[in-house]
Amino acid sequence: MILDPLSLRDLGWSPYFQAGLDAVEQTDADPVRVAAVHRNGVDVLGPDGARRVTTGVALPTEAIAVGDWLLVERASGRALRILERKSLLGRRAAGTGHDAQLIAANLDTLFIVTSCNAEFNAARLERYLAVARQAGVTPVIVLTKVDACDDPDSYADRARALSAALPVEAVNALDQASVARLAGWCGGGQTVALAGSSGVGKSTLTNALTGAALLTNGIREDDAHGRHTTTARTLHRTLGGGWLIDTPGMRALRLADVADGIGAVFDDIADLAEGCRFGDCGHDGEPGCAVRAAIEAGALDAGRLARWRKLAREDARNSASLAESRARDRAWGRFHKSVKREIRHRKG
């Protein structure tokens, strides 16, 4: 946890957030930035340093993400509300539930970390790219373990093929000079998050970018899979004056409400589809299909089309179930309020 007092600007405050305050709030409350979220409260950073803020029923911790800006009442020290976010990363919660799980808020950049070994997986990377694009966050593919790879350029080429104009950086996380390639995204006023599977070197990369000394674990060399090291999302200050959020390795990144993000990642398929004879072409044997023609000509990988279909179907299915869950929550909320009104009426 950062203990030294920092200005709001140091913490990433900008006119965007200032515009979200009204005159009364500027007099009676203070903005602070969320550094960690716990079950019964949140750790925040502000000009007065670090402290724990309690939350209540009106603002449960489940609704708060690391990187959020909270408005805290001066008199009581109570968190009043979350300031409007400029970006939010999330996913469908693991398991059978339909709830959305928050990952990080108010990011400028997402470092999608993978390694130059058997862990590299195009389908998994496309999932992260879709989430980043949906949130309006700049994605950067960061390839690690280049020092243990004979041909890192081949991995970089495979990564660049995933999306147009996608920044890709290959680094040795143990070499500070190599990690310096990422400095342009980690300067003052900027916030970046690290995401990726366990064992790809996120904690080592966090150490290099922040000067911290986080615990790191190795990987199982037989399958290039790692064991979890980071167990919670935490805000760290980078050596360049920006902010970094490390996230636990995610075994599954379930998509929901990211149709636009998927479209942005697979815009090459969308561009080709405009040349199909039929507007509702399913690219599955219809005559005059420009997408199938591109595959036959070697201009489009058939595996990429299959991955696009899989993500689009998953997003549609999960988005529908998430919408149903939200509708049930709204209905329950209306019922709860009506019961409270009836109780007050009877007492009156």
Side-chain angles (χ1 to χ4, degrees):
M1 175 64 65
I2 309 293
L3 297 178
D4 295 334
L6 298 163
S7 70
L8 290 179
R9 184 175 180 180
D10 290 334
L11 290 163
W13 187 257
S14 70
Y16 177 91
F17 302 109
Q18 185 67 40
L21 300 178
D22 62 34
V24 174
E25 289 175 334
Q26 294 184 52
T27 302
D28 298 336
D30 295 310
V32 293
R33 196 159 195 203
V34 176
V37 178
H38 307 285
R39 182 172 299 176
N40 299 316
V42 296
D43 293 335
V44 301
L45 301 174
D48 295 330
R51 56 178 163 143
R52 176 69 60 88
V53 171
T54 57
T55 58
V57 176
L59 184 59
T61 55
E62 293 83 0
I64 302 172
V66 173
D68 266 329
W69 283 96
L70 295 184
L71 206 57
V72 177
E73 189 176 46
R74 290 176 190 164
S76 66
R78 178 173 55 93
L80 300 176
R81 68 179 180 92
I82 302 170
L83 295 184
E84 183 177 349
R85 297 154 171 152
K86 69 176 182 181
S87 64
L88 177 66
L89 289 181
R91 63 170 177 170
R92 180 181 172 183
T96 58
H98 301 318
D99 294 335
Q101 182 183 42
L102 306 184
I103 297 175
N106 298 315
L107 300 177
D108 300 291
T109 307
L110 179 67
F111 285 163
I112 304 170
V113 187
T114 187
S115 47
C116 296
N117 54 29
E119 191 279 333
F120 185 99
N121 183 290
R124 185 188 304 120
L125 295 177
E126 286 164 346
R127 287 175 175 270
Y128 283 109
L129 288 170
V131 170
R133 297 291 193 193
Q134 184 73 30
V137 173
T138 299
V140 178
I141 299 291
V142 179
L143 299 170
T144 61
K145 306 185 187 297
V146 296
D147 52 313
C149 177
D150 294 331
D151 187 17
D153 288 343
S154 65
Y155 287 93
D157 290 341
R158 289 164 63 187
R160 292 190 183 96
L162 299 177
S163 188
L166 175 64
V168 176
E169 297 289 350
V171 303
N172 175 2
L174 296 173
D175 180 357
Q176 196 66 46
S178 177
V179 175
R181 299 169 64 91
L182 305 177
W185 290 286
C186 303
Q190 295 178 292
T191 302
V192 61
L194 296 181
S197 301
S198 299
V200 296
K202 297 194 305 299
S203 293
T204 303
L205 192 58
T206 297
N207 292 345
L209 291 170
T210 66
L214 303 181
L215 177 67
T216 60
N217 285 332
I219 63 170
R220 301 192 301 262
E221 295 299 336
D222 57 339
D223 61 4
H225 290 171
R227 294 178 294 276
H228 290 280
T229 299
T230 300
T231 57
R233 300 172 183 88
T234 310
L235 193 67
H236 307 271
R237 198 172 194 197
T238 69
L239 295 173
W243 296 92
L244 181 145
I245 302 173
D246 191 11
T247 66
M250 289 180 275
R251 298 184 186 278
L253 183 64
R254 295 177 174 85
L255 303 185
D257 288 342
V258 293
D260 290 343
I262 293 172
V265 174
F266 293 90
D267 58 353
D268 54 337
I269 295 177
D271 290 342
L272 286 169
E274 292 182 359
C276 292
R277 181 183 301 176
F278 303 107
D280 60 349
C281 182
H283 320 308
D284 194 23
E286 295 91 338
C289 176
V291 174
R292 300 303 308 183
I295 291 174
E296 293 170 4
L300 177 68
D301 178 26
R304 183 165 170 80
L305 176 63
R307 296 196 302 272
W308 166 73
R309 281 178 169 153
K310 181 178 180 179
L311 290 187
R313 285 196 299 266
E314 177 184 330
D315 178 68
R317 181 175 63 253
N318 289 345
S319 297
S321 59
L322 187 59
E324 292 168 359
S325 177
R326 289 169 177 164
R328 286 194 299 269
D329 289 343
R330 287 193 297 269
W332 172 252
R334 289 192 296 268
F335 172 74
H336 184 64
K337 290 179 181 178
S338 68
V339 170
K340 291 176 68 176
R341 284 196 301 269
E342 180 65 22
I343 292 174
R344 287 196 301 267
H345 177 71
R346 290 178 180 177
K347 288 182 178 180

